[in-house]
Amino acid sequence: MNLEKQLPSLAIVTGANRGIGLEVTRQLAHQNITVILGARDLEKGKAAAETLATEGFEVLPRWLDVTNQQSIDRLATEVKQKFGRLDILVNNAGILYDTWQQAIDANLDTVRTALETNVFGPWRMCQAFIPLLRQSQRGRIVNVSSGAGALTSMSGGIPAYGVSKAALNALTRKLADELKGTGILVNAVCPGWVATEMGGAGGRPIEQGAAGIVWAATLPENGPTGGFFRDQKPLAW
Ligand code: NAP
């Protein structure tokens, strides 16, 4: 009998104090997965965890700013000491849907800010946690991307966001290939247009957007890797 397989899974979700990240946390906890709720403002993270507790879900709020290497290293050390492994990493934190800009004259400091959170954030997280994902028998990485990062359908506008998500998709391919044979499955998922603070009114319910991310986070051993999905269906890169 494989004892490791009987342990409850352990997940980290970044940007989990609100929006899609909070709902992904809720849905993973609903599957009896132990979830570390990452929040760049710990007070907001604790408040979100309290809300989940009133619904019967115990999660672990932690300070996690994906632009801050110290916060990432601190959490990696804690997870290593307490759990010795990580099963699921959901890189959800994302910013700067810059509908007001065009690539021809975009403020490059703004672009850099988007890349720092949307690309270097997940990249830092992966570098810090892949050693712990390697200790799992079912490592899963989900990079929360966007159709706005798809090159085949890319149009003008929203330059910081679009370029950052295209780069995140490229990172997904690189990591998936480099991790082949380790059991770690790496995929990018677009949640669709979702009614959050970022998405605004008119988008679909958060539960629906989160479901495709949870699917990719809990793929079976023979599940896909190096893919780009929305609602469990492949999307063109
Ligand atoms: P949201 O409501 O704006 O929430 C974003 C979350 O990310 C917040 O919890 C925010 O924390 C956190 N965050 C921002 N910077 C961070 C950092 N440096 N470190 C850690 N956390 C940070 O956005 P959302 O709609 O839920 O989006 C979640 C993901 O889905 C993003 O990657 C987004 O690009 C993607 N997405 C969304 C849509 C949509 O229609 N909503 C569509 C496609 C893709 P604070 O509360 O502290 O600001």
Side-chain angles (χ1 to χ4, degrees):
M1 190 186 298
N2 189 329
L3 288 176
E4 204 274 346
K5 279 204 164 150
Q6 294 185 322
L7 293 172
S9 292
L10 176 68
I12 296 177
V13 182
T14 69
N17 55 287
R18 63 183 166 93
I20 295 168
L22 176 58
E23 179 58 25
V24 168
T25 301
R26 179 184 281 112
Q27 291 185 16
L28 290 174
H30 187 68
Q31 294 192 29
N32 290 322
I33 293 170
T34 303
V35 190
I36 294 174
L37 182 159
R40 62 175 162 176
D41 178 335
L42 183 57
E43 290 312 309
K44 287 187 190 169
K46 284 181 179 167
E50 276 167 27
T51 302
L52 293 179
T54 63
E55 300 168 17
F57 303 122
E58 292 298 332
V59 302
L60 308 170
R62 290 293 181 275
W63 173 52
L64 183 59
D65 180 338
V66 300
T67 66
N68 183 321
Q69 188 68 47
Q70 198 201 339
S71 78
I72 294 172
D73 291 344
R74 199 154 103 172
L75 185 60
T77 301
E78 183 188 345
V79 171
K80 186 176 179 190
Q81 285 170 354
K82 287 196 182 145
F83 301 95
R85 72 176 210 293
L86 178 68
D87 303 301
I88 298 166
L89 171 59
V90 180
N91 285 311
N92 165 78
I95 58 167
L96 249 162
Y97 193 69
D98 54 333
T99 48
W100 61 92
Q101 297 207 99
Q102 290 211 308
I104 45 174
D105 57 0
N107 180 322
L108 295 185
D109 288 334
T110 305
V111 176
R112 198 171 285 117
T113 300
L115 293 175
E116 197 56 53
T117 297
N118 298 356
V119 182
F120 292 110
W123 205 330
R124 283 187 199 96
M125 286 296 295
C126 288
Q127 289 190 343
F129 286 96
I130 282 171
L132 288 163
L133 286 159
R134 285 183 191 276
Q135 302 307 311
S136 167
Q137 294 196 345
R138 48 177 178 266
R140 304 286 178 264
I141 297 174
V142 186
N143 291 328
V144 181
S145 184
S146 167
L151 291 176
T152 42
S153 54
M154 193 164 283
S155 52
I158 325 174
Y161 188 78
V163 169
S164 74
K165 293 298 190 182
L168 181 62
N169 285 354
L171 177 66
T172 303
R173 298 283 293 190
K174 297 273 174 209
L175 293 172
D177 190 56
E178 292 174 14
L179 291 169
K180 274 217 170 102
T182 64
I184 303 175
L185 306 179
V186 190
N187 291 291
V189 173
C190 170
W193 177 28
V194 181
T196 59
E197 273 183 47
M198 179 187 280
R204 59 189 187 158
I206 299 184
E207 298 76 22
Q208 223 176 321
I213 297 167
V214 171
W215 165 78
T218 54
L219 284 170
E221 257 169 59
N222 60 354
T225 190
F228 184 26
F229 298 93
R230 181 189 293 141
D231 295 332
Q232 308 185 19
K233 295 189 194 78
L235 266 188
W237 290 104

